[in-house]
Amino acid sequence: MGRKAAHEDIHQFWEGRWKKGETPWDHGSHAPPFEEFVERVGAPSGKILIPGPGSGHDVYYFAKLGAKVTGLDIAPSAIKAARKLNPHRRATYKRGNFLDPAPGLKQSFDWIIEHTCLCALEPKHWPDYARSVRKLLKPGGYYLALFYRDPEDDEGPPFRIEEKEIEQLFSKGLTLLQAWKPSKAYESRFGREEIRWFRRNK
């Protein structure tokens, strides 16, 4: 299967889930670990991209803190839900494929913030994801990832990511600044996630 066909399969799968209302990952609010990051490090500023934002809870949270935030999702029904549930004057929701982003987005963002997009993709797509992170971040920009290290279901999605895979995917072009297990989390994910904060090399 070619890359284009594989990406179309991703679109059909997630659009189907949204149309059926099968969205158990949606907890109705932004991810609590991001509050912990803001308390420890400060609020991200500038232009933020959040791939696969779903209903837009994280987009709204960071827009409310003052950043200009774009949520990029492959499923039209997710974009529709986000615009309805989480509108904000500094929030923009666009349909697009993070694995194959529009050329005009190259080096456009000060931050890329990851939450349940990577783990929703089959691992075979992770190299494309990592390339997009490097491609879309400005030199000196930041990649803030909330990795789902220990999901309850080994079958996926969500898919578990191991230490060696994080190293393989994100050591090139990025420098790790901090990493820790957050003390704040959705109840079902407590102890299963890890925050990693990287800077794009100049």
Side-chain angles (χ1 to χ4, degrees):
M1 180 184 291
R3 179 179 294 185
K4 183 176 181 181
H7 291 175
E8 182 60 28
D9 280 355
I10 295 171
H11 161 254
Q12 291 177 357
F13 177 81
W14 291 109
E15 176 65 6
R17 294 289 296 268
W18 278 96
K19 282 189 172 181
K20 294 175 184 176
E22 296 175 355
T23 57
W25 60 84
D26 191 330
H27 291 256
S29 64
H30 62 270
F34 290 144
E35 292 182 15
E36 187 170 321
F37 179 86
V38 170
E39 290 167 1
R40 289 179 60 156
V41 177
S45 60
K47 294 179 66 178
I48 295 175
L49 176 66
I50 299 181
S55 297
H57 304 302
D58 296 328
V59 172
Y60 179 83
Y61 174 69
F62 288 109
K64 188 174 62 174
L65 293 178
K68 186 176 180 181
V69 190
T70 298
L72 186 72
D73 206 292
I74 200 168
S77 294
I79 295 297
K80 183 178 179 180
R83 288 172 176 166
K84 180 180 179 180
L85 295 171
N86 284 297
H88 193 282
R89 62 186 178 86
R90 287 188 294 270
T92 302
Y93 299 101
K94 294 182 178 180
R95 186 188 173 195
N97 183 358
F98 185 72
L99 302 180
D100 186 21
L105 296 179
K106 184 178 180 179
Q107 294 188 3
S108 294
F109 298 97
D110 301 290
W111 292 74
I112 293 176
I113 297 179
E114 157 63 29
H115 176 214
T116 67
C117 180
L118 181 68
C119 71
L121 297 167
E122 292 183 59
K124 66 182 180 182
H125 296 298
W126 290 356
D128 284 342
Y129 174 101
R131 278 191 289 270
S132 291
V133 169
R134 295 190 294 271
K135 184 185 298 183
L136 301 187
L137 273 179
K138 296 177 182 178
Y142 298 100
Y143 175 56
L144 173 60
L146 180 58
F147 290 130
Y148 207 168
R149 297 296 304 275
D150 184 27
E152 295 178 350
D153 184 0
D154 287 334
E155 294 295 321
F159 295 95
R160 178 193 311 272
I161 187 166
E162 303 289 354
E163 182 71 28
K164 64 180 181 179
E165 293 167 324
I166 295 174
E167 176 69 18
Q168 290 169 355
L169 291 167
F170 301 108
S171 61
K172 180 182 177 181
L174 300 171
T175 298
L176 180 64
L177 300 177
Q178 293 186 38
W180 73 89
K181 278 194 173 183
S183 59
K184 293 185 177 183
Y186 300 129
E187 184 176 352
S188 63
R189 296 186 190 173
F190 186 79
R192 299 177 179 274
E193 297 171 307
E194 183 183 29
I195 289 174
R196 294 218 178 182
W197 182 34
F198 300 84
R199 182 174 58 232
R200 175 77 163 89
N201 298 340
K202 294 184 178 180

